């Protein structure tokens, strides 16, 4: 016996899953087969139209979430080594600055040591620091008050602080006297 085929070329067990449209009019057997073929084509056309405008995915897909998690993990993983690197760079810069200062001090001291090899420089320093004079010269040392020396140097001096404070025992004795005078009154 020969298997009966539908107009779409399918056998009885392979019918289309699309339901016939409900129009409200009675459908005959021959017309139903013809309409089911038309409806399957129209469903396919609708699906083709729907496929043109793809649905918009959610804000974060699974891949995007995994990517964000991996990037955050990498950022957190590299935070400590970057901080250590920056600290080491600042230490290196500080040490290089200290070395440059030491080299400058060494060159200054070398220049000063070279000056001390000159006999004239030694004589000038001896006269200046130790008040040494040549035989037959009369040394003259000018002694001035601290205010006069500061004024000559161009510094401002507060005259209220120039007097030294009294010793502690004088302060104690004056307070005892003042207490005696209060008790006598």
């Amino acid at each position: 016996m020969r298997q009966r085929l539908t107009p779409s070329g399918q056998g009885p067990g392979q019918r289309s899953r699309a339901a016939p449209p409900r129009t409200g009019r009675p459908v005959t057997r021959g017309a139903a087969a013809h309409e089911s073929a038309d409806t399957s084509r129209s469903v396919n056309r609708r699906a083709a139209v729907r496929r043109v405008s793809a649905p918009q995915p959610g804000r974060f897909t699974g891949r995007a979430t995994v990517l964000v998690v991996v990037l955050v993990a990498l950022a957190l993983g590299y935070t400590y080594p970057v901080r250590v690197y920056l600290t080491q760079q600042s230490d290196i810069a500080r040490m290089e600055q200290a070395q440059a200062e030491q080299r400058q001090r060494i060159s200054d001291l070398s220049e000063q040591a070279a000056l001390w090899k000159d006999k004239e420089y030694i004589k000038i320093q001896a006269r200046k620091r130790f008040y040494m004079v040549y035989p037959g010269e009369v040394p003259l040392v000018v002694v001035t008050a601290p205010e006069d020396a500061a004024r000559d140097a161009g510094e401002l001096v507060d005259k209220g602080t120039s007097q030294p404070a009294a010793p502690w025992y004088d302060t104690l004795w004056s307070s005892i006297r003042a207490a005696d005078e209060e008790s006598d009154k």
Side-chain angles (χ1 to χ4, degrees), residues 2 33 51 55 70 74-76 79 95 132 170 173 181:
R2 214 173 132 178
R51 288 182 190 159
V70 167
L74 286 174
L76 291 175
T79 301
M95 288 180 199
M132 297 180 84
D170 285 343
W173 187 248
E181 290 175 3

Side-chain angles (χ1 to χ4, degrees), residues 7-167:
S8 64
Q10 297 175 344
Q14 300 173 338
R15 291 197 179 170
S16 173
R17 301 260 184 233
R22 299 182 185 226
T23 59
R25 59 183 181 158
V27 179
T28 61
R29 194 170 227 188
H34 181 66
E35 282 185 18
S36 70
D38 288 341
T39 57
S40 67
R41 287 183 194 141
S42 66
V43 169
N44 287 340
R45 287 184 192 144
R46 283 188 212 144
V49 172
R50 286 184 192 159
R51 288 182 190 159
V52 171
S53 60
Q56 295 294 326
R59 206 157 249 252
F60 285 109
T61 62
R63 288 182 182 176
T65 305
V66 169
L67 179 65
V68 168
V69 168
V70 167
L71 290 177
V72 168
L74 286 174
L76 291 175
Y78 284 119
T79 301
Y80 181 73
V82 168
R83 189 179 73 193
V84 168
Y85 172 77
L86 293 175
T87 303
Q88 288 174 349
Q89 291 298 316
S90 66
D91 288 346
I92 289 170
R94 184 177 40 82
M95 288 180 199
E96 286 175 349
Q97 177 65 28
Q99 266 188 340
E101 290 172 0
Q102 288 175 352
R103 286 187 183 123
Q104 180 63 37
R105 185 161 186 258
I106 288 170
S107 67
D108 292 344
L109 291 174
S110 297
E111 290 174 9
Q112 192 175 13
L115 287 174
W116 282 100
K117 292 180 181 176
D118 184 19
K119 292 204 183 268
E120 278 301 311
Y121 183 78
I122 293 172
K123 288 178 186 177
I124 292 170
Q125 291 300 317
R127 291 172 66 98
K128 183 177 176 184
R129 292 183 184 188
F130 304 120
Y131 304 107
M132 297 180 84
V133 293
Y134 289 114
E137 287 184 344
V138 178
L140 179 62
V141 178
V142 178
V143 179
T144 60
E147 296 95 19
D148 295 337
R151 187 184 64 235
D152 292 341
E155 298 173 8
L156 296 176
V157 177
D158 184 19
K159 294 199 179 204
T161 60
S162 64
Q163 296 180 358

